Amino acid sequence: MQQQTLKVEGMSCGHCVASVEGAVKKLGGATAKVDLASKSVSVEFDAQKVTLAAIKDAIEEQGYDVV
């Protein structure tokens, strides 16, 4: 398993947390933990099952900006 912390702009509430964490979980092989205070998402993923680019795309599809 690999770990990566992403800076994500636009998150501000519990709905944002659920949206991002749910989108990443749907990919399979990945989990996410959102920290609203630092505007970051810590992801843990199996590189054999999902790419970091796919995780970033899933977050951006929810309407947030990965910077």
Side-chain angles (χ1 to χ4, degrees), residues 6-43:
L6 306 171
K7 292 295 271 182
V8 180
E9 296 290 331
M11 302 182 300
S12 62
C13 65
H15 173 74
C16 299
V17 172
S19 179
V20 169
E21 289 179 352
V24 173
K25 187 175 182 177
K26 278 185 190 176
L27 294 173
T31 59
K33 181 161 176 52
V34 174
D35 183 345
L36 288 176
S38 66
K39 297 182 180 179
S40 66
V41 178
S42 297
V43 294

Side-chain angles (χ1 to χ4, degrees), residues 4-5 10 23 26 33-35 37 39 45 51 55 59 63:
Q4 184 80 35
T5 300
K26 278 185 190 176
K33 181 161 176 52
V34 174
D35 183 345
K39 297 182 180 179
F45 61 101
T51 65
I55 293 169
I59 293 169

Side-chain angles (χ1 to χ4, degrees), residues 38-63:
S38 66
K39 297 182 180 179
S40 66
V41 178
S42 297
V43 294
E44 186 172 303
F45 61 101
D46 181 344
Q48 300 294 327
K49 295 180 180 178
V50 64
T51 65
L52 186 57
I55 293 169
K56 289 178 180 180
D57 288 346
I59 293 169
E60 289 180 342
E61 285 174 6
Q62 298 303 308

